[in-house]
């Protein structure tokens, strides 16, 4: 588990986006279900290492009909049964132990898969967020560059009008502006 590792950037927008993505990702509930299933299976497999006790209680009541032809009186009989079945598998060849270890390893792998998916979703959000922020900065620099080139072209146009510089300088300034735009 990596926790909220993106908080090192101290960006509340990024914090909100990462938490939203973690809560809204459809892959995370699926991997959580696989992890829970692997844990449940490991617990079931671990139960084979202990003795099993089965109780199958039964109770019955019967009554003979009073209008029988035999002439004997009607009677009621109760029957109770409480069989206990205790079983235990001796693990001479290690089958139970290996099965339990295998189920435990599958549960650990499912847990690692969960953390990897979680990290992947969070990393995708952080990567996309910083790519977007980089594009925002690049756009802002480009807007400032166009402004600067427009001012420069205006200044050089005035200098040409005053005869301080030649038309070549004005053409170069206009080309720089068009390139930036």
């Amino acid at each position: 588990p990596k926790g909220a590792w993106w908080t090192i950037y101290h960006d509340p927008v990024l914090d909100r986006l990462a938490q939203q993505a973690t809560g809204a990702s459809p892959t995370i509930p699926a991997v959580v279900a696989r992890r829970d299933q692997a844990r449940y299976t490991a617990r079931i497999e671990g139960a084979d290492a202990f003795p099993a006790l089965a109780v199958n209680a039964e109770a019955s009541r019967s009554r003979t009909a009073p209008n029988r032809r035999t002439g004997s009186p009607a009677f009621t009989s109760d029957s109770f049964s409480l069989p206990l079945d205790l079983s235990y598998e001796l693990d001479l060849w290690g089958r139970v132990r290996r099965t339990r270890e295998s189920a435990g390893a599958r549960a650990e792998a499912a847990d690692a898969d969960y953390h990897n998916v979680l990290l992947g979703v969070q990393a995708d959000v952080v990567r996309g967020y910083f790519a977007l922020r980089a594009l925002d900065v690049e756009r802002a620099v480009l807007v400032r560059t166009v402004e600067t080139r427009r001012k420069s072209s205006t200044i050089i146009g005035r200098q040409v009008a005053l005869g301080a510089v030649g038309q070549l300088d004005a053409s170069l300034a206009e080309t720089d502006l068009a390139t930036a735009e």
Side-chain angles (χ1 to χ4, degrees), residues 57-63 76-81:
E58 291 182 18
S60 65
R61 178 173 226 168
S62 63
R63 181 180 174 130
T76 303
S77 68
D78 295 324
S79 173
F80 300 99
S81 173

Side-chain angles (χ1 to χ4, degrees), residues 44 46 78 98 142 173:
I44 289 174
D78 295 324
R98 296 290 181 252
L142 189 57

Side-chain angles (χ1 to χ4, degrees), residues 62-108:
S62 63
R63 181 180 174 130
T64 59
N67 59 355
R68 295 183 327 171
R69 290 189 181 170
T70 61
S72 61
F75 67 92
T76 303
S77 68
D78 295 324
S79 173
F80 300 99
S81 173
L82 186 64
L84 296 175
D85 184 21
L86 178 66
S87 63
Y88 181 72
E89 180 179 348
L90 292 175
D91 195 17
L92 296 176
W93 308 109
R95 183 192 69 79
V96 173
R97 184 178 66 237
R98 296 290 181 252
T99 302
R100 203 172 67 228
E101 289 172 356
S102 173
R106 282 193 303 273
E108 288 178 17

Side-chain angles (χ1 to χ4, degrees), residues 12-87:
V13 174
L14 178 60
D15 293 345
R16 183 178 46 80
L17 290 173
Q19 290 170 354
Q20 282 179 345
T22 300
S25 172
T27 56
I28 292 176
V31 79
V32 165
R34 284 193 299 272
R35 180 190 67 177
D36 292 345
Q37 180 182 13
R39 286 178 177 174
Y40 179 72
T41 302
R43 282 196 303 269
I44 289 174
E45 295 292 339
D48 288 344
F50 302 103
L53 179 64
V55 177
N56 189 13
E58 291 182 18
S60 65
R61 178 173 226 168
S62 63
R63 181 180 174 130
T64 59
N67 59 355
R68 295 183 327 171
R69 290 189 181 170
T70 61
S72 61
F75 67 92
T76 303
S77 68
D78 295 324
S79 173
F80 300 99
S81 173
L82 186 64
L84 296 175
D85 184 21
L86 178 66
S87 63

